[in-house]
Amino acid sequence: MGRADPEEGQLPAPVKPPDGGWGWIVLFGCFVITGFSYAFPKAVSVYFKELMKDFHVGYSDTAWISSIMLAMLYGTGPVCSIMVNQFGCRPVMLIGGLLASAGMILASFTTNIIELYLTAGVLTGLGMALNFQPSLIMLGTYFDKRRPLANGLAAAGSPVFLSSLSPLGQVLLEKFGWRGGFLIMGGLLLNCCTCGAVMRPLDMGMKRKMEKAQDKYEAKEMLPIGGKSEEGISTTDGTKKAKKAKKPPKKGKKLLDFSIFSNRGFIIYTISKFILVLGLFVPPILLVNYAKDTGVPDTEAAFLLSIIGFIDIFARPACGMVAGLKWVRPHVAYLFSFAMLFNGLTDICSARASNYTGLVIFCVFFGISYGMVGALQFEVLMAIVGSQKFSSAIGLVLLIEAFAVLIGPPSAGRLVDALKNYEVIFYLAGSEVVLSALFLAMATYCCLNRGKKKDPPPEKNPSGGGGSDTEEAESDVQEADEHSSDNHQPPHSTDNAVVAANEEANHVAEEQSGEGGGCPEGDREVLARDGCNADQKVERDSF
């Protein structure tokens, strides 16, 4: 996936997403990968007390294990994009699964906290990053019309695994200790390799195979005698090779496409996502301590996170179904803005909650809004940049989010230590989320929608790639169907059509060779008027 054709030096034609079939297996694999990627760094926290006793360190020292995992998950986004564009999704995910498992297995033999940082933090975090990003890319490859629902179902893996891995870790800790628990957790992470193995790439060369079979069939119909038939096939192949030799090679896919920064929609999304991450994760991190400070017992305070996770499980698929509606999907960016606004207002309105009932109400509404944000964040990015550039876009977005993750929660913790007041933190976090929602909605309306109304609609270019991936794939399928239906015509009509096509092609080739420019005179006038040369025209057509 994402590799250039070695024979022609160009990207193969896209294939229409099946929106089902094997895509459901891919969706399940993405569900598991998303669950491990987001829930595993939080589930490891059940071992922190034992680690503090064995290594004689403080809580902040052990908390760096989860922080390093998340930093690797977000910060290595461009590296994952380069590897996916170079080698494809399946090999990268298989390597990532092995690294994630090896990190936890090696962590069970460590003797100090620094070794834990390098194994459970860096190695396991890198392995999960190499699984998370390719799984989302494959999900966008297999789904188009049902993509919002698929994203919602895959995102539900995070709360499901969080509610299961934490109790499992506690059981493993009681029976086998933290070393045995790390060893078994490493074995569980080998399931990432299984999920990577099912990420079967779509057959991008189907159209090219059909064209080759079509040419051979036409040659046999034109020269039905055995010897002449073979001569006709060899002549046709020789003509094609000569044309390929004359045709300048087209550029393959870049390892990391920075041209997406010229997309105004991508810039708007990135800025709003950076502001969002500054305050999105602060309330759930501080919620338990906030409840304890208000006099809530420890068991009831811990149950608040379970409420958020339970609501989140159902909110994400439900929001994906709503986003997939015909009258909602064209405006999915505004739905995402509403989800962020809902989340921010929930933080602000619950800042003064002083009893357990108020905190439960906050958890219900926060779980709904948090699930909506989780279900829509990658769907909006796919809608902005398209599936062809999504691998580069998500890597750059995750890298930018990594800085926000390292700024937001630690800064909130320092403010709590300095002010001894959680109310200000909830106000600040909610204001940041509301600001990101307003910025995304207003910038989308002012910079994108108004720009589309002012700009005249571009003329359709039959050789350009202006349409969506689905439209291009549908047109390719229709062309293949037309060719196959033409093959069932009577032999004499096929002969006449092929002979006429060959004569016309020879006539055009003679004219082009006589002119010496490789381009008709009319086309050269147009190119000169537009200020571009023939090579740029070929590159534009390949895009």
Side-chain angles (χ1 to χ4, degrees), residues 271-283 340-341 343-344 347-348 404 407-409 411-412 415 425-439:
I271 295 175
S272 63
K273 197 70 187 302
F274 178 83
I275 302 173
L276 170 69
V277 173
L278 287 175
L280 180 64
F281 302 121
V282 171
M340 292 189 294
L341 182 64
N343 186 272
D347 296 340
I348 295 174
I407 294 174
S411 300
L415 287 176
I425 307 303
F426 275 74
Y427 279 131
L428 181 61
S431 300
E432 290 170 344
V433 177
V434 170
L435 177 62
S436 66
L438 296 178
F439 174 79

Side-chain angles (χ1 to χ4, degrees), residues 429-462:
S431 300
E432 290 170 344
V433 177
V434 170
L435 177 62
S436 66
L438 296 178
F439 174 79
L440 178 61
M442 296 176 64
T444 301
Y445 177 76
C446 297
C447 299
L448 299 182
N449 290 353
R450 285 189 176 182
K452 290 180 180 179
K453 293 179 181 178
K454 292 180 181 180
D455 297 339
E459 297 180 359
K460 293 183 178 180
N461 186 4

